[in-house]
Amino acid sequence: MDNVVITGMGGSAIGGEIVKSLLLADTSIPVMVWRDYRLPPMVGRRTVLFASSYSGNTEETIAAYLSGRERGVQIFVLTSGGRLAEMAAGDGVPLIKIPSGMPPRAAIGFMSIPILVVLNKLGLCHNYEDDIMETEILLKERMNFWRRRASALGNFLFKQIPIIYSMSRVLDWVGYRWQCQLNENAKVIAHHGCLPEQSHNEVMGFGAPDFINKRIFIIGLFDKKSAHHRTLIRFQEMVKLLRGYIAGFRIYETEGKSLLARMFSLSVFGDLVSVMLAKQRGVDPLTIPRIDELKGSLSRRKM
Ligand code: PA5
């Protein structure tokens, strides 16, 4: 096989990002996460395609699934039901059934681990069983501590605009996950970027408008094993330059041995921060009315 493509949107795409980061560090097979309707030309008979939609009714993912079918691509579907489950059953496409009844973004384990298992069975990546076990143990052991730390950061972020900077490529998705969780759970605006790239452009944006900049709090996500040693220095020098332009910054470091555990350590911590901030703001972290309304109005428009 030439490549692996995982297509999905929002909370259903993040599982693909985990797989992409792991395989980026481990194998030579390219992995792409596709968040759009029509699949790109690189997707063909030598692609393994995963169509991932928690509800099974997301129009972009359905369109991507259909374009994969037209091209004769080997497809696996991850969903809890909906049209995608029906189509997979009708087309004889392997279906990985996810338990229903949770917000898609909370099903992160269900949307990532099965992909790793399938890819391992296809001989495209190694067996991650030990890493999965380690992650599970780490999450159980550290949850209370992270909860306390998240509560402090959540309270602190109450009147701030969080900007999350990942300090290695494999943590890029973790920063984006923080942003999305802050958007969807806490209903606040947030932004993420990845160093070193960010320090070649975005760094110039701090300064105006002044009333916004003074409210910005930078959260640096650091993983000693994957970050280039110059990237931490770069971050430290950058925040020195930003003194007086932003409200402050803090660095959080990964925990654990395997990359999977390390990525999850900061991603789960971010999830907790978003829920703590939601609590502080008095909003329901489970509901996403604006996204639902948008999907509703789009479904009434011709496809
Ligand atoms: O977190 C969410 O609920 C959203 O980001 C959804 O995941 C996104 O809208 C896609 O829907 P689904 O996961 O059902 O395909």
Side-chain angles (χ1 to χ4, degrees):
M1 284 297 172
D2 291 342
N3 51 50
V4 174
V5 176
I6 300 131
T7 184
M9 304 301 299
S12 289
I14 212 79
E17 292 289 353
I18 296 173
V19 173
K20 183 174 136 187
S21 278
L22 284 175
L23 269 66
L24 193 72
D26 267 5
T27 69
S28 56
I29 188 146
V31 180
M32 187 172 73
V33 180
W34 184 254
R35 294 176 167 93
D36 209 334
Y37 293 83
R38 239 171 272 121
L39 291 168
M42 66 173 257
V43 178
R45 285 180 185 273
R46 292 192 53 79
T47 298
V48 183
L49 177 69
F50 292 87
S52 169
S53 166
Y54 186 80
S55 63
N57 292 321
T58 299
E59 64 176 47
E60 296 93 322
T61 316
I62 290 174
Y65 170 90
L66 291 172
S67 78
R69 286 286 299 155
E70 265 170 31
R71 293 182 211 176
V73 179
Q74 180 178 356
I75 311 180
F76 296 86
V77 162
L78 290 100
T79 186
S80 69
R83 269 198 66 205
L84 209 51
E86 285 165 17
M87 286 193 300
D91 296 339
V93 165
L95 171 67
I96 299 160
K97 195 88 178 4
I98 311 292
S100 56
M102 57 184 116
R105 55 201 178 280
I108 183 167
F110 291 109
M111 310 298 260
S112 54
I113 306 300
I115 302 180
L116 291 174
V117 174
V118 171
L119 291 178
N120 174 249
K121 292 241 179 312
L122 294 175
L124 296 175
C125 71
H126 75 243
N127 187 332
Y128 285 96
E129 215 173 300
D130 289 348
D131 302 0
I132 295 165
M133 294 298 287
E134 191 222 339
T135 306
E136 196 186 334
I137 294 166
L138 180 80
L139 298 192
K140 278 191 188 135
E141 275 176 8
R142 299 297 283 157
M143 196 57 86
N144 282 338
F145 168 71
W146 292 338
R147 228 177 244 138
R148 285 194 299 277
R149 197 167 63 167
S151 171
L153 181 59
N155 286 342
F156 180 73
L157 288 179
F158 185 54
K159 291 218 162 101
Q160 316 280 1
I161 302 165
I163 293 194
I164 303 104
Y165 287 138
S166 306
M167 282 186 250
S168 38
R169 291 302 332 166
V170 290
L171 288 189
D172 194 24
W173 75 266
V174 181
Y176 186 52
R177 169 79 172 178
W178 273 64
Q179 179 198 312
C180 297
Q181 293 290 76
L182 288 162
N183 297 152
E184 291 182 75
N185 294 342
K187 280 90 181 154
V188 295
I189 199 75
H191 171 70
H192 107 287
C194 197
L195 263 74
E197 173 64 12
Q198 170 281 350
S199 61
H200 292 273
N201 33 60
E202 194 167 308
V203 67
M204 289 309 300
F206 295 90
D210 192 47
F211 68 97
I212 291 184
N213 276 246
K214 291 274 160 56
R215 291 256 167 236
I216 289 176
F217 190 79
I218 292 181
I219 296 163
L221 304 181
F222 180 61
D223 175 54
K224 205 173 178 175
K225 283 193 191 157
S226 63
H228 191 281
H229 70 280
R230 297 283 294 168
T231 307
L232 181 61
I233 299 173
R234 186 177 281 272
F235 180 90
Q236 289 161 342
E237 292 300 321
M238 177 190 77
V239 286
K240 257 192 231 166
L241 291 174
L242 294 180
R243 212 177 281 146
Y245 292 100
I246 56 169
F249 77 94
R250 206 165 292 169
I251 297 175
Y252 291 97
E253 210 172 318
T254 55
E255 297 179 40
K257 283 197 193 75
S258 65
L259 177 57
L260 186 70
R262 289 178 355 248
M263 293 191 302
F264 262 101
S265 70
L266 280 185
S267 139
V268 168
F269 174 54
D271 292 355
L272 293 168
V273 172
S274 71
V275 173
M276 296 302 179
L277 184 56
K279 198 167 148 200
Q280 173 79 13
R281 299 192 63 244
V283 296
D284 181 357
L286 298 178
T287 56
I288 42 165
R290 201 172 289 141
I291 296 176
D292 292 340
E293 210 178 312
L294 190 59
K295 284 182 180 178
S297 41
L298 278 161
S299 71
R300 290 186 290 277
R301 303 283 295 264
K302 199 168 159 280
M303 192 59 184

